[in-house]
Amino acid sequence: MAGALNAALADALEQDPRVVVLGEDVGTLGGVFRVTDGLAARFGDRRVVDTPLAESGIVGTAIGMAMGGLVPVVEMQFDAFAYPAFEQVTSHLAKLRNRTRGAVALPVVVRVPYGGGIGGVEHHCDSSEAYYAHTPGLRVVTPATPADAYRMMRQAIACPDPVVLLEPKRRYWSKEAAELTADGPALDEAVVRRPGRDVTLVTYGGTVATALEAADAAVEEGWDVEVVDLRSLSPIDDATLTASVRRTGRAVVVHEAPGSGGLGAEVAQRITERCFHHLEAPVLRVTGFDIPYPPPKLEQHHLPSVDRILDTVARLQWDDQPEPCPAPYGARRA
């Protein structure tokens, strides 16, 4: 995936002289995760710019560049490193188009390596998607495969709106044989990664591969599991989401961010509101725990696993004639 992102940036720099890349160590070093490796040598230090360690200044500079006609692609080196830039992102980057009644667009891409699974510590493994998805004016997307990483990067750079591109760190080294192209699903479109009849797993980013593993393992239990990759977290593709759940009648939302106030709560609410009469069981979630990101030796317990997903699928209501609800205390059963 890191190579696909690198190729997308190189192709965008090659084809559009307005595109610039900036961030901490993106130039000479090529980025902590090598996503910008070789770009400074190829395109020069005026288009691939090493910045000071000042995230708020990086995004503020990108806003000014975009107002001047450039298309900046900003790297926040790690998820939690982006928090000092939060005010610039939410108060200015997200709002300037609305503030100017559409006169000033900010085509800025903010790349955020996010999530755990790499043996990192806190400040290096946050899943911060809910903060951005809660902010009107931002598009928030996350790829799950190398081919989609290339496609979404190219589409994000071509988008006139600011885009927060969340890159799942533990999938940086994932590989697939694929043609790298910007064609395919639109930036805000969800896709069905695996068709199934019995239950829909709704997920995104780093947990898509985990959900697919769980779907394969579920065959032995007699469940035919569908996997929907949201791809876009803001806006959410309600049409693909609801069409899947209406087919299967059951849904489990999977993400590694903490559950309380997480994106899974928003997805569960949308499913309940739009698919209520098609549901055969309550919508359930498999998430990270409501704790700061744990030390590396404990992260396997925090991250959604195949076993946790299958245990949750088993909790769905599978009986054709379920037992009646317990009678209220003191009441007689009919």
Side-chain angles (χ1 to χ4, degrees):
M1 179 181 289
L5 290 165
N6 180 278
L9 289 170
D11 290 348
L13 285 161
E14 179 72 35
Q15 296 171 16
D16 189 344
R18 300 174 304 156
V19 175
V20 292
V21 174
L22 63 159
E24 299 160 0
D25 294 326
V26 300
T28 304
L29 180 66
V32 172
F33 297 101
R34 320 311 297 168
V35 171
T36 56
D37 190 30
L39 298 182
R42 181 175 171 186
F43 297 99
D45 59 6
R46 293 181 64 83
R47 299 195 62 199
V48 182
V49 183
D50 276 327
T51 67
L53 304 182
E55 289 79 7
S56 180
I58 296 169
V59 176
T61 301
I63 291 172
M65 287 176 153
M67 294 176 72
L70 298 177
V71 181
V73 181
V74 168
E75 178 180 301
M76 298 283 103
Q77 198 168 72
F78 284 90
D79 32 62
F81 291 10
Y83 298 154
F86 198 65
E87 196 274 339
Q88 288 287 340
V89 173
T90 58
S91 295
H92 303 294
L93 184 62
K95 294 183 172 62
L96 200 65
R97 178 192 282 272
N98 184 68
R99 189 180 299 153
T100 61
R101 297 184 178 182
V104 178
L106 294 180
V108 176
V109 178
V110 180
R111 295 180 42 236
V112 183
Y114 83 115
I118 61 168
V121 295
E122 65 171 7
H123 294 99
H124 295 72
C125 294
D126 274 12
S127 293
S128 46
E129 61 268 31
Y131 300 141
Y132 301 111
H134 188 67
T135 302
L138 297 177
R139 291 176 180 265
V140 184
V141 300
T142 178
T145 69
D148 227 12
Y150 179 92
R151 178 181 298 110
M152 296 177 85
M153 176 67 81
R154 294 299 308 274
Q155 293 175 341
I157 292 172
C159 181
D161 296 322
V163 178
V164 177
L165 180 66
L166 297 163
E167 300 168 1
K169 291 193 292 286
R170 62 173 160 154
R171 305 302 177 199
Y172 270 144
W173 300 278
S174 61
K175 300 180 185 299
E176 69 173 338
E179 178 185 359
L180 297 181
T181 174
D183 297 333
L187 190 61
D188 56 0
E189 187 177 335
V191 297
V192 175
R193 293 286 178 197
R194 183 187 192 281
R197 296 189 309 270
D198 298 328
V199 55
T200 299
L201 298 181
V202 185
T203 187
Y204 52 86
T207 46
V208 170
T210 311
L212 289 169
E213 290 180 41
D216 290 341
V219 174
E220 294 185 6
E221 305 293 335
W223 299 315
D224 189 9
V225 176
E226 182 154 305
V227 177
V228 171
D229 175 6
L230 286 179
R231 300 177 74 248
S232 174
L233 311 186
S234 182
I236 290 175
D237 178 2
D238 287 312
T240 300
L241 175 65
T242 56
S244 173
V245 177
R246 288 176 181 178
R247 281 196 303 272
T248 63
R250 299 176 177 86
V252 174
V253 189
V254 183
H255 61 64
E256 64 181 80
S260 296
L263 199 83
E266 172 66 21
V267 173
Q269 187 278 336
R270 286 172 182 248
I271 292 172
T272 303
E273 184 176 276
R274 293 164 173 79
C275 307
F276 182 79
H277 294 290
H278 299 266
L279 289 174
E280 299 186 43
V283 181
L284 300 180
R285 290 177 290 166
V286 183
T287 71
F289 302 121
D290 291 346
I291 58 172
Y293 199 82
K297 290 184 179 179
L298 298 177
E299 71 174 349
Q300 75 271 21
H301 303 295
H302 177 75
L303 297 171
S305 63
V306 169
D307 286 343
R308 283 178 62 195
I309 293 171
L310 294 181
D311 287 347
T312 304
V313 170
R315 288 172 49 211
L316 295 168
Q317 182 174 297
W318 293 100
D319 297 330
D320 292 336
Q321 294 181 327
E323 294 182 357
C325 294
Y329 180 77
R332 292 185 177 180
R333 288 185 180 276

